[in-house]
Amino acid sequence: MAVVRRGAPPDVTYDVTVIGAGVVGTAVARELARHPGLRIALVEAADDVGEGTSKANTAILHTGFDAVPGSLESRLVREGQARLAVYAAESGIPVEPVGALLVAWDDEQLAALPQLLAKAERNGYHAARLLGPAEVRAREPHLGPGALGALDVPGESIICPWTTTLAYATQAVRAGVDLLLNCRVGRVSSSGEAHLLTTGRGTLRTRYLVNAAGLHADTVDRLLGHDAFTVTPRRGQLIVYDKLARDLVRHILLPVPTALGKGVLVAPTVHGNVLLGPTAEEVDDKSATGTTAEGIAALREKGHRILPELLDEEVTAVYAGLRAATDQDDYRISAHKEQRYVTVGGIRSTGLTASMAIAAHVTELLAGTGLDLSAPRDVEPVRMPNLGEAFPRPYRRADLIAADPAYGEIVCHCERVTRGEIRDALAATIPPGSPEGLRRRTRARNGRCQGFYCGAQVRELYERGAEMGTG
Amino acid sequence: MRRERIVDVLVVGAGPAGLATAAGLAAAGVGEVEVVDRERQAGGIPRHCLHGGFGRLGMTGPQYAERCVAAAVGTGAVLRTGVSVTAWAAPLTVDTTSPRGLERITARAVVLATGARERPRAARLVPGTRPAGVYTTGELQQAADLHRQRIGTRAVVVGAEPVSFTALDTLRRAGVAVAALVTEHPRHQARPARALDARLRHGVPVLTDATVVELVGRGRLSGVGLRHRDGRTAHVACDTVVFTGDFVPDHELARRAGLLLDPGTRGPAVDGAFRTDGRGVFAVGNVLHAAEPARAVAREGTLAAEAVRRYLSDGDWPSASVRLRVAAPLAWIAPNRLTPDDPPGAFTLRTTEFAARPALVITQDGRTLHRTRSRRPAVPNRPFRVAGDWTGRVDARGGAVRIALG
Ligand SMILES: Cc1cc2nc3c(=O)[nH]c(=O)nc-3n(C[C@H](O)[C@H](O)[C@H](O)COP(=O)(O)OP(=O)(O)OC[C@H]3O[C@@H](n4cnc5c(N)ncnc54)[C@H](O)[C@@H]3O)c2cc1C
Ligand SMILES: Cc1cc2nc3c(=O)[nH]c(=O)nc-3n(C[C@H](O)[C@H](O)[C@H](O)COP(=O)(O)OP(=O)(O)OC[C@H]3O[C@@H](n4cnc5c(N)ncnc54)[C@H](O)[C@@H]3O)c2cc1C
């Protein structure tokens, strides 16, 4: 089991190499690792897994009720949701089945609800139903005035996106996958039976190749001579509100999509906060993850309509993620048999949900291109540290603290993260590559004070961990 | 399993306010007085303020903290650190976590002395990237002075109030050049000598009427975007930015208890005897008014101790109160509830605009209760006070009392 952050890639020929350790690439690596006998590499340009779009989304486990019926996305979202719900329960990834309401605020939106209900049916989702204004208000007492009705989609859930990617990656590495971080693939050439991947750290040889490079999937595709699609980043800015706002909202409040656009949502998070967003802006820079004054102002205006009291609460974070949109309303997954290569492109705004189904689909495609797959085995289950508020966190567990007092020593007060959890994260199978990585693994520094109280101590712990060679 | 315990008074927070309250109570011999603090060391914010300016003698923060701790422990209060109050189990019962396990502590009176923090970048809605090198003064002081961490080479300080100048000192001690202090106000808000010293001796300009509107840089901060009130914009190269001041009470426990909050201070609403609207729950220090100097909150602690002692002996709790409301440019007033039996001796206010000789007009239901002109200017981010000698004219059954600049 290996996580390699520096030095030349191992001098071996891998059976399969996956480019990109986002939620999709890690899911693919994990799925492949279930087949004994394969030598697998997962290569990632950043210093950690999940550093791309997978860390910055709205963290909803979708039912796929509103996908384009008959599309690949529709099928993979539906299958992915079912798989991930089971996997999450097994692995300790926090999921809360809070359900969603699509609230109509004007006649046009109200008129769109029955069509959405019909669409849900066509997507094989049968639990949705229409609610009148009184019922909507009863279900969401803090809603702003003027809600005319809603579509109730009880199957929508919230999930921890950070833990999901980390769980896949951890399980993959434990099952023998080599994870190569700080390793950007710049060129691909071929030498007989193998692809040669030129990275900043040397050359890597692999027989089969999976491109899960997210926003850069088009670039990697071109390295292999294809020109099938172009990724146009669509930025989504989001505001995270303080935990004290959590009681204001019970469901995911989804916008009703109309001709005028998609609108923004208000959703609780499994970490106990409330999200407002995202915007949808076409940008031409694949690294444009900054936020803007206009974006924040627009979100606040919309949020005020949906949940007026939300705006009185403190903001703990503002961030942006980039959707990997293409000119088609579907995923762009394709196999190139002669090249022993599969592209996983255009995984836009549902990739977290669909990840496990995408992985299964990609594995089948690889088999179709000739990869010899042995029968899958059950890999050793992982049990991830719990970051969810709906489940007991270590600071509330007398048994854990009695066995190890470090779980009673709260370091980050706003998020109640203990020294024991920070220590564990620094010594884990995939240790964080930066204090930011530690934040995504523990929530340390993720709260309302953003480090006023604990920032220096968390950094101290991180640096000490890194010195010991574990970080 | 939680260990259940009972004490007479539980003080949450061992900063200057909580420690002074505990010291006063223990000295008066009210029984078992326990102070808990979630940090490993007691003393609150002054623990990491290595600069002078604390107390009457202007000692350093750590010296002052030590003195507060000694006073509380010396009078017989029980002080426990590393203990976080995490929730309420009942109106006067809290749950705690510490390395020694979980507890459930019930008290006859609970005193919230949980202090205040500075708003970080996100809470101020400053757009841009999310690079490293972004601090509040609180984090900066701990990083530079307590942990000796590397900070950066060139900084911009957001704010020009007293605490901003302490950030400047900390940065200089840590070998960081300071490009500028930036304030949205037309003038800095520190004592004139302080600002003059910064400018003349250290060449640090105060950029007034300006706001930081963007952070730039990937991985590490590379600069900030500024906008002047007149619309001009500028870019200042720096690898560090410190967001100072803009204090907000750490009111989580107050809110979780369902206590009435004051919309101005955002802390629990209290009367002159530090009583919240929850029977037996008091609040003191910067959780009531973010932020006052340590000396002022310690003085409050002494008064609060007397109020708690009285409650423990007579059990009286006011059932009704009149709220105090301020009008812009006033931001808040504390105390902010009036109860018939305990009029405050004095009130502290905050303004968002400078006023040379502010006139205060206090009315209730259209009736003028009091009119006064202060000889001292009102300065944003600095306290100004008004005596409470007019409170006898308040109608206890009337509407809210309104305070405005005349
Ligand atoms: C605002 C927003 C909200 C969203 N909300 C949801 C939601 O609620 N539910 C949901 O299911 N989905 C949601 N999504 C979509 C979801 O986040 C994405 O579909 C998913 O994260 C895509 O994962 P990925 O692995 O394809 O991409 P990424 O996470 O971007 O991973 C790609 C990785 O490839 C690496 N890489 C790129 N080029 C190279 C190279 N040459 N060499 C090596 N490595 C390389 C990158 O560094 C990156 O780590 C949302 C997306 C956004 C932007
Ligand atoms: C950077 C900075 C510089 C300053 N410089 C000066 C100066 O030069 N001179 C001056 O007079 N004043 C100064 N001040 C102000 C001074 O620090 C405050 O007036 C004083 O600390 C307020 O005391 P307090 O007891 O109300 O709160 P704090 O000192 O904030 O103490 C609150 C305590 O409560 C604890 N607590 C909070 N919640 C919980 C919980 N749930 N469970 C357990 N414990 C909890 C905290 O750990 C903390 O120790 C400065 C403040 C700052 C931030």
Side-chain angles (χ1 to χ4, degrees), chain A residues 10 36 67 167 181 197 215 228 239 242 259 263 271 284 335 374 384 405 409 414 418 447-448 450 454 457:
Chain A
L181 296 167
L197 310 187
L215 292 163
I239 302 178
D242 192 285
H271 312 130
D284 46 24
S374 55
M384 302 304 288
E409 190 180 334
C414 303
T418 63
R448 59 176 71 95
Q450 292 283 301
C454 72
Q457 206 196 333

Side-chain angles (χ1 to χ4, degrees), chain A residues 287 312-314 395 456 459, chain B residues 97 119 150 218 255 266:
Chain A
S287 64
D312 295 335
E313 301 292 343
E314 295 288 322
Y395 82 90
R459 179 166 153 199
Chain B
T97 292
R119 278 204 177 82
R150 222 185 60 78
R218 294 203 170 278
R255 276 190 73 177
R266 303 180 74 92

Side-chain angles (χ1 to χ4, degrees), chain A residues 180-194:
Chain A
L180 298 143
L181 296 167
N182 295 315
C183 194
R184 176 182 298 279
V185 176
R187 217 147 38 90
V188 180
S189 55
S190 71
S191 138
E193 278 298 277

Side-chain angles (χ1 to χ4, degrees), chain A residues 50-221:
Chain A
E51 274 285 345
T53 300
S54 299
K55 75 174 178 195
N57 48 51
T58 42
I60 294 169
L61 186 54
H62 292 296
T63 56
F65 77 94
D66 63 344
V68 178
S71 64
L72 179 63
E73 183 176 16
S74 164
R75 172 166 78 81
L76 296 183
V77 167
R78 196 168 59 243
E79 283 176 25
Q81 195 237 19
R83 283 173 184 256
L84 183 47
V86 173
Y87 181 71
E90 243 167 57
S91 318
I93 300 167
V95 171
E96 285 183 57
V98 291
L101 298 180
L102 280 81
V103 182
W105 298 94
D106 59 34
D107 292 333
E108 190 196 353
Q109 293 177 3
L110 190 64
L113 294 183
Q115 294 154 33
L116 279 165
L117 179 63
K119 193 178 191 186
E121 297 281 342
R122 269 181 289 146
N123 277 316
Y125 185 75
H126 304 294
R129 62 191 192 95
L130 297 170
L131 303 182
E135 203 174 345
V136 174
R137 180 137 313 271
R139 299 263 294 260
E140 286 291 357
H142 296 277
L143 219 53
L148 302 177
L151 182 70
D152 177 20
V153 189
E156 299 273 297
S157 310
I158 52 178
I159 186 168
C160 178
W162 307 326
T163 309
T164 305
T165 305
L166 192 62
Y168 295 156
T170 299
Q171 210 175 16
V173 168
R174 287 191 190 156
V177 171
D178 284 346
L179 172 62
L180 298 143
L181 296 167
N182 295 315
C183 194
R184 176 182 298 279
V185 176
R187 217 147 38 90
V188 180
S189 55
S190 71
S191 138
E193 278 298 277
H195 297 282
L196 299 180
L197 310 187
T198 311
T199 77
R201 304 204 328 229
T203 305
L204 190 141
R205 277 195 313 278
T206 185
R207 290 170 50 231
Y208 288 80
L209 187 60
V210 176
N211 165 9
L215 292 163
H216 299 281
D218 55 347
T219 314
V220 171
D221 214 31

Side-chain angles (χ1 to χ4, degrees), chain A residues 18-27 42-62 73 77 84 156-157 159 161 165 180 182-187 198-199 211-217 219-220 223 234-238 254 265 275 277-280 319-324 331 344-355 358:
Chain A
V18 180
I19 301 177
V23 73
V24 172
T26 54
L42 176 58
V43 289
E44 167 56 51
D47 64 5
D48 203 346
V49 300
E51 274 285 345
T53 300
S54 299
K55 75 174 178 195
N57 48 51
T58 42
I60 294 169
L61 186 54
H62 292 296
E73 183 176 16
V77 167
L84 183 47
E156 299 273 297
S157 310
I159 186 168
T165 305
L180 298 143
N182 295 315
C183 194
R184 176 182 298 279
V185 176
R187 217 147 38 90
T198 311
T199 77
N211 165 9
L215 292 163
H216 299 281
T219 314
V220 171
L223 296 179
R234 196 182 298 144
R235 181 164 61 195
Q237 304 186 39
L238 290 134
L254 292 173
L265 62 78
L275 274 182
T279 58
Y319 66 89
L322 300 174
R323 306 170 187 83
Y331 294 166
V344 193
I347 314 297
R348 310 163 296 163
S349 43
T350 49
L352 169 61
T353 305
S355 51
I358 295 174

